[in-house]
């Protein structure tokens, strides 16, 4: 990836240069292993070319995307010292599974299994990338996702899905995951539109069990057609979850949050390189703080937003 300048010769991930060369392998195929998925799991793995003790970020894409999406985030995180793992879920347009496929109602749950499978086979994924072997710290793992992907990974942080009677489903949290970055994660299911209530019953989360640390990112102009509420719906994961949580509210941000699904993608209705740059900065600083115990950039990002006379967003924590 020639967008990045060469890394320094340091060998510790904390000192990987701010513009490290990134290496990437795709597709790394995890063969179908029975169960309801019925398809091989295709994965992309990106990492800095140098450095050791590299933390892991597993990213779950939004509806219809794939392991090839979200380059503004995946490339940036990898260039800043993280191993970024991107599975392709069954809803991806690249797979072309029709809506009438019998798996469709269960894809939300299969998505969660995809992330768990990635965590189970990190050794296989590490071995598939030339030069990455022995450089990954599998004790420092975060999950991240956008939209449906954020819903997917929130379950590994402790969120539960309520059934029609309001009874929480199984606990899918994973102790291997230290923290999460939840981008445009939908809120409580009390105010779903009739369409969403009928066709997307899994969109009834319970956040009071989502105890793991997380950064929630929401746009204050993100008006969803799945909810009768306004953009504040996307702040529910912060408002209703316990524990150490932070909320980055992006001024003027719509569902693509300025363009994180990809460079110049058609689905972005609020294209803003500056907004994307802010997300890159804040999420990287957050990942540094929770996976490397380095709060320097996190504190600097918070201070910069507070002192900016024309800020692009607001950051708060509890």
């Amino acid at each position: 990836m020639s967008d990045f300048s060469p890394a320094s010769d340091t060998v510790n991930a904390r000192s990987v240069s701010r513009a490290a060369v990134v290496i990437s392998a795709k597709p790394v195929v995890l063969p179908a292993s029975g169960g309801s998925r019925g398809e091989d799991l295709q994965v992309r793995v990106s990492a800095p070319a140098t450095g050791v003790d590299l933390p892991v970020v597993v990213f779950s894409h939004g509806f219809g995307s794939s392991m090839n999406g979200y380059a503004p985030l995946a490339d940036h995180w990898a260039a800043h010292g993280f191993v970024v793992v991107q599975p392709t879920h069954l809803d991806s347009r690249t797979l072309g599974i029709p809506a009438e496929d019998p798996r469709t109602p269960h894809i939300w749950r299969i998505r969660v299994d995809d992330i768990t499978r990635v965590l189970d086979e990190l050794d296989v994924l590490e071995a598939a990338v030339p030069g990455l072997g022995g450089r990954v710290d599998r004790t420092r793992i975060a999950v991240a996702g956008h939209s449906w992907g954020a819903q997917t990974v929130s379950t590994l942080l402790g969120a539960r899905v309520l059934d029609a009677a309001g009874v929480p489903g199984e606990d899918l949290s994973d102790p291997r995951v230290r923290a999460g970055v939840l981008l445009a994660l939908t809120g409580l299911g009390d105010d779903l539109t009739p369409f969403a209530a009928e066709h997307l019953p899994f969109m009834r989360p319970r956040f009071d069990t989502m105890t793991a640390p997380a950064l929630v990112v929401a746009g204050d102009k993100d008006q969803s057609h799945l909810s009768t509420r306004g953009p504040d719906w996307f702040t529910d994961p912060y408002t209703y979850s316990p524990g150490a949580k932070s909320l980055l509210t992006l001024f003027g941000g719509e569902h693509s949050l300025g363009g994180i699904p990809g460079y110049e993608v058609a689905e972005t209705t609020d294209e803003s390189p500056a907004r994307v740059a802010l997300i890159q900065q804040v999420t990287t600083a957050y990942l540094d703080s929770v996976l490397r115990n380095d709060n320097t950039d996190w504190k600097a990002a918070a201070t910069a937003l507070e002192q900016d006379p024309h800020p692009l967003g607001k950051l708060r924590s509890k």
Side-chain angles (χ1 to χ4, degrees), residues 61-131:
H61 63 73
F63 174 74
S65 188
S66 72
M67 62 183 174
N68 298 314
Y70 296 90
L73 294 180
D75 291 354
H76 186 84
W77 292 338
H80 286 72
F82 299 94
V83 178
V84 182
V85 184
Q86 298 174 266
T88 294
H89 299 300
L90 287 181
D91 55 279
S92 174
R93 290 182 292 269
T94 64
L95 300 180
I97 294 176
E100 60 272 18
D101 189 286
R103 292 169 293 181
T104 296
H106 311 289
I107 283 179
W108 77 269
R109 184 60 179 79
I110 298 170
R111 276 173 151 263
V112 180
D113 292 340
D114 290 347
I115 305 300
T116 302
R117 178 90 186 271
V118 163
L119 297 178
D120 291 343
E121 303 204 33
L122 281 177
D123 56 339
V124 175
L125 299 173
E126 177 181 343
V129 183

Side-chain angles (χ1 to χ4, degrees), residues 199-211:
H199 297 283
L200 306 171
F202 59 87
M203 291 184 63
R204 298 191 67 200
R206 175 178 176 176
F207 294 123
D208 61 354
T209 54
M210 192 173 74
T211 57

Side-chain angles (χ1 to χ4, degrees), residues 183-270:
L183 301 137
L185 172 58
T186 52
L188 298 177
D190 301 336
D191 302 288
L192 294 177
T193 61
F195 172 86
E198 178 182 357
H199 297 283
L200 306 171
F202 59 87
M203 291 184 63
R204 298 191 67 200
R206 175 178 176 176
F207 294 123
D208 61 354
T209 54
M210 192 173 74
T211 57
L215 168 64
V216 177
V217 182
D220 71 357
K221 299 297 182 184
D222 189 355
Q223 180 60 61
S224 176
H225 66 280
L226 301 177
S227 172
T228 59
R229 282 173 54 193
D232 68 301
W233 188 45
F234 292 93
T235 66
D236 284 358
Y238 173 81
T239 302
Y240 295 104
S241 63
K245 299 294 190 300
S246 296
L247 172 65
L248 174 63
T249 302
L250 296 166
F251 302 152
E254 299 179 15
H255 200 59
S256 292
L257 303 175
I260 62 170
Y263 299 110
E264 301 180 348
V265 295
E267 67 195 78
T268 299
T269 57
D270 63 331

Side-chain angles (χ1 to χ4, degrees), residues 1-6 19-26 44-49 67-72 74-76 78-79 84 86 263:
M1 295 184 179
S2 60
D3 292 341
F4 304 106
S5 59
V21 166
V22 170
I23 54 176
S24 183
K26 69 164 189 177
R44 178 174 183 165
V45 184
S46 303
M67 62 183 174
N68 298 314
Y70 296 90
D75 291 354
H76 186 84
V84 182
Q86 298 174 266
Y263 299 110

